[in-house]
Amino acid sequence: MDAAPIKKKKPFGFYICSLGFTFERVAFYTVKYMLAIWIATTVGKGGLGLTDVKAASMAAVFVAMTYIAPVIGGYLADYWISPRILVPTGMILMAIGYLFTWRATSIGLVWAMIVLVSVGTGMFKGNLSGITGLLFDDEEELNEAFSVQYTFVNIGSFTGTTFIVLLIPIIGFNNVFLVCSLFIFLDAIVFLLNQKSLGDAGKKPFKVDQRQFKEAEAKEKEESAPLTAGDKKRVVAIILVTIFSIVFWMVWYLAYMPVYYYFGHGDGAGFLNRANWMVGSFNVPTSYFDSVNALTCIVLGPILGKLWTKLAARPQGDMSMFKKTSLGMIFIGISYVAMIFADMIGKGHTNLLWIVLVGILMSIGEMVFSPLGNSFITKLAPSKLMGLLLGFWPIAVFFATLLYPNVYALLKTSNPGKFQTGYGILAVIIIGLGLVLWISSRKLDKLEKD
C-alpha cells in the first residue's frame, strides 16, 4: 500500500508577505470606500459636498493610479533595485500619503494623497507578489498559494469595510484616514522585522532568475539569451488575459455605483435608498456591500486553491486562464441580472438579501480568475520581464477604473425603468463576451505552450 502524500507546509515568509497585503488592504479599501462617500457627503456632515459623479470619478482615479504605477515599480525591480528594498519603501510612502487626507479640507490634499499612495503602491504591489512566487520550489504549488494569499488580501478588505468604517460617525472621516496611515506604518515595521523569513527571495532584481522550481542551467541560459519565440507567445498570452480582464473589472467596479447611490443611503448622505438596509434597529452601512465581497473571497480562497490543485493533477490538467477569465465575466453579468430583477420586484424597497446575492455573484466571478494572475505570470514570464509583467497585470484595473465612471454617468438615472433597461443591456453584453471568450479559448490556450 502506497504511503499517503506528505502535505508540504507553506514557508513562514509566505505568511509575512500575505500579512503585508492584509494591512495594506485594510487601509486601501477603507479609503476607496470613504472617497466615494466622503466627497459626495455634505460639508455639514464632514464631507466635501461635491456631486456623486465627481465622487465616483475621484474614487476611480485613486484606484486607477494605484493600478498603473506597479508597471514602473516592476520595471525597477526587474533591472535596477532589489524588490526587498522597494516593498517597504512603498509602504512608507503610502502611509505618508494617507496622512495628507487626515488633514484634508479640500480636493488639493486629496490629489497629494493619490500621488503618494500611487507611487508607493507601484513599489509595493507586484513586487511583493514576485517575492511570494520565489518562496516555492514547486510551480504546482503556486495556484493554491496565490489563492490563499488572496484570502489574506480580503481579510484586510473585510476588516476595513466592516469595522474601520464604523469609526466614521465616532471620530469623523479625516481621523479614519489617520487610522489607515497607522496600519501601513505597522505593515512596514512587520515586514522589516521579518526579513530572515524570506531568505534570499527578492534580494536581487528579478532579472536574476531566483525561481526555485527552475533548473540552474536553464536559469543561466535564460538570463543571457534573447527572448525565444515561445517566450514571446507566452508574453502575448499574458497581455491578452490582461486585456480581457479590463472588461471584467470595468463592470465589477461599476456595480458598486448603483449599490452605493441607487440602492444605498450613503451612510447618512441621503442617496436614493431604493433598498431596505434596516436589520432590526440596525441601519446597515453601505460599506457592508464591500464586506460581502471580502468575506466571500476569504471563504473561497482556500476552497478554490484546493480545487485548482486537484484539477491540475488530472491528465488534461487545470482549466486554462482564458476559460477562468470567461467564467469571471459570465458571473459578473449574472450579478447584474440579479440586480435588475431585485429592483423590479422590490419597487423601491429591495430586500437586502438581493444586494447580498449581487455581492456574492460578483465575488465568485472575481475569485475564479483574479488571484491566479500572479501565479500565471510567475510560471510563464521570462525572468527578465517578470517584475514588469507582474506590474502589467493590474493595468487592467487602471483602464477599467478610467472607463466605468463614464459608463455610470451614461446609465445614471432615478427612473427604475431606465435603470433596468440600461443595466439589462449591459448584462447581456457582458455574458455574451464571456461566452465568446470561452468558445475561443481552445485556440488562445496554445499561446501558453512552447
Side-chain angles (χ1 to χ4, degrees), residues 3-16:
I6 298 172
K7 290 186 177 180
K8 298 175 67 175
K9 290 184 178 180
K10 293 178 177 60
F12 184 69
F14 166 79
Y15 296 102
I16 295 301

Side-chain angles (χ1 to χ4, degrees), residues 394-416:
I395 206 171
V397 178
F398 168 76
F399 286 111
T401 49
L402 293 182
L403 292 171
Y404 87 77
N406 299 306
V407 179
Y408 172 66
L410 181 66
L411 296 177
K412 179 189 173 184
T413 178
S414 59
N415 183 303

Side-chain angles (χ1 to χ4, degrees), residues 319-341:
M319 274 194 301
S320 74
M321 193 65 180
F322 290 103
K323 280 189 169 70
K324 290 172 182 174
T325 304
S326 71
L327 282 177
M329 293 171 67
I330 291 168
F331 271 107
I332 190 69
I334 295 172
S335 77
Y336 274 87
V337 173
M339 191 186 298
I340 296 157
F341 189 70

Side-chain angles (χ1 to χ4, degrees), residues 11-42:
F12 184 69
F14 166 79
Y15 296 102
I16 295 301
C17 291
S18 297
L19 282 173
F21 283 114
T22 299
F23 287 121
E24 185 269 340
R25 293 287 95 174
V26 169
F28 178 84
Y29 274 92
T30 303
V31 172
K32 168 184 168 289
Y33 168 75
M34 285 203 301
L35 285 178
I37 301 298
W38 174 57
I39 292 171
T41 298
T42 62

